[in-house]
Structures are given as C-alpha cells and as structure tokens.
Amino acid sequence: METAPGGKLLLMGSSKFRAGELPAEVRERIEEAMADDATIIVGEAHGACRLYQDYLRSRGYGNVIVGHAKRIRYNAGGWRDIRYGDDLIEKERRMIEECDSAVVIWADGSGVIAQDLELLRRLGKPTFVYEYSTRDQRARAGEIDPMRTYDPYYSMKEYHRKRRQTRKDG
C-alpha cells in the first residue's frame, strides 16, 4: 500500500483489540507513511486507536490529527484535534472521506469497523486490513479485498441514514 508523499493516512480499529503493541505488519505501514511525511489521522477510542497514538508518540511523529466526535477523550501527543461529527458514525465517515488511504485493525468482526471497511472499499481507498480474532488469537492481514462484502447491511443502513438526513434538513 503506497501513501502519496504528503498524503493522509487514516488509522482506525476496533476497541476490542487489546494487544500490548501494534502488530509488525501495521507498524511497517505506519513507518512507511511517516517516511513519506504523511498526515496521519487517528481516532481516540480505547483499543487500537490508543495503541496507534502511543506508537506515534513513541516515534516522536508530529504530523498527526486526532479525530473525535463531541469531545476528545485521548490525545497522547498533544496533537491538533478535529471534531469530525456529532456521533461515531458521522465522525468515522468524515475521517474516511478525508483520507487517501487507511490501515484498519478489525477485531472479532466488529459491525462498526465492517461498515467502515465497506465504505473504504466502495470509495476505492487503498486499505490495509489486519483482521484479528480474540477468541482464538488468529490473525490475517492484507490489502482490502475489492470482491468481499464486509458489511452485508451497508446499503440498507445508507438508505436509512440518507432518509434521516433528508428529514433533518428539510
């Protein structure tokens, strides 16, 4: 996965991912982005996002934006933060729309992350996925599969989201 020099890499992942450190495959992609001086957008939830932030802080990387919804809960490096929305879904959608590529840690088939992966896939954003099961500690990693459906209910959710937004706007 290539990140364009000066591009924006989104780091997102499941709150259920409670490993002591980031997987080597994930660290490698972050290191590539830092070498390219990419802007790194990261969330601030428990689990994977905190691991990402702690890693970025340990590496002394400063070109980081912490994305949040109503209030910021964690900012390990004192980086610039941006409020991307009023709730989790809106925040993640806007972060995805802003990025050029992504690295996603997906634990236990999380429905929220599945929805995010589906949007990344549909937008054609280069995405590295680290899929992990806490039940049997098995992992598989690789580029997003353009033929895989990550969230089978994505279209229905989008339909209802757009209807709610229309009612809210009009």
Side-chain angles (χ1 to χ4, degrees), residues 127-143:
T127 302
F128 180 82
V129 181
Y130 184 87
E131 193 171 350
Y132 183 77
S133 168
T134 59
R135 195 172 57 251
D136 58 14
Q137 288 77 46
R138 297 184 74 159
R140 67 180 187 176
E143 300 304 317

Side-chain angles (χ1 to χ4, degrees), residues 45 69 73 85-93 112 116:
R73 298 175 287 179
D86 292 330
D87 59 41
L88 173 71
I89 301 299
E90 181 182 12
K91 173 198 83 162
E92 293 195 359
R93 170 177 290 283
V112 172
D116 295 338

Side-chain angles (χ1 to χ4, degrees), residues 15-38:
S15 59
K16 287 184 179 183
F17 189 75
R18 304 291 175 130
E21 65 180 9
L22 291 172
E25 302 93 329
V26 171
R27 288 193 315 266
E28 181 180 313
R29 274 134 190 101
I30 294 171
E31 289 293 330
E32 290 170 5
M34 291 189 300
D36 288 338
D37 196 31

Side-chain angles (χ1 to χ4, degrees), residues 140-158:
R140 67 180 187 176
E143 300 304 317
I144 199 164
D145 181 349
M147 302 307 290
R148 180 174 177 185
T149 300
Y150 291 90
D151 181 358
Y153 304 106
Y154 182 84
S155 294
M156 179 187 66
K157 291 175 190 174
E158 276 298 291

Side-chain angles (χ1 to χ4, degrees), residues 21-82:
E21 65 180 9
L22 291 172
E25 302 93 329
V26 171
R27 288 193 315 266
E28 181 180 313
R29 274 134 190 101
I30 294 171
E31 289 293 330
E32 290 170 5
M34 291 189 300
D36 288 338
D37 196 31
T39 299
I40 297 179
I41 304 169
V42 63
E44 37 75 67
H46 294 283
C49 289
R50 295 210 179 176
L51 280 174
Y52 289 135
Q53 283 199 33
D54 292 343
Y55 182 76
L56 292 165
R57 184 189 67 220
S58 76
R59 302 291 293 133
Y61 196 66
N63 193 3
V64 177
I65 297 170
V66 179
H68 62 93
K70 293 186 180 196
R71 63 181 173 79
I72 191 149
R73 298 175 287 179
Y74 189 72
N75 187 336
W79 300 293
R80 179 168 65 117
D81 66 272
I82 294 178

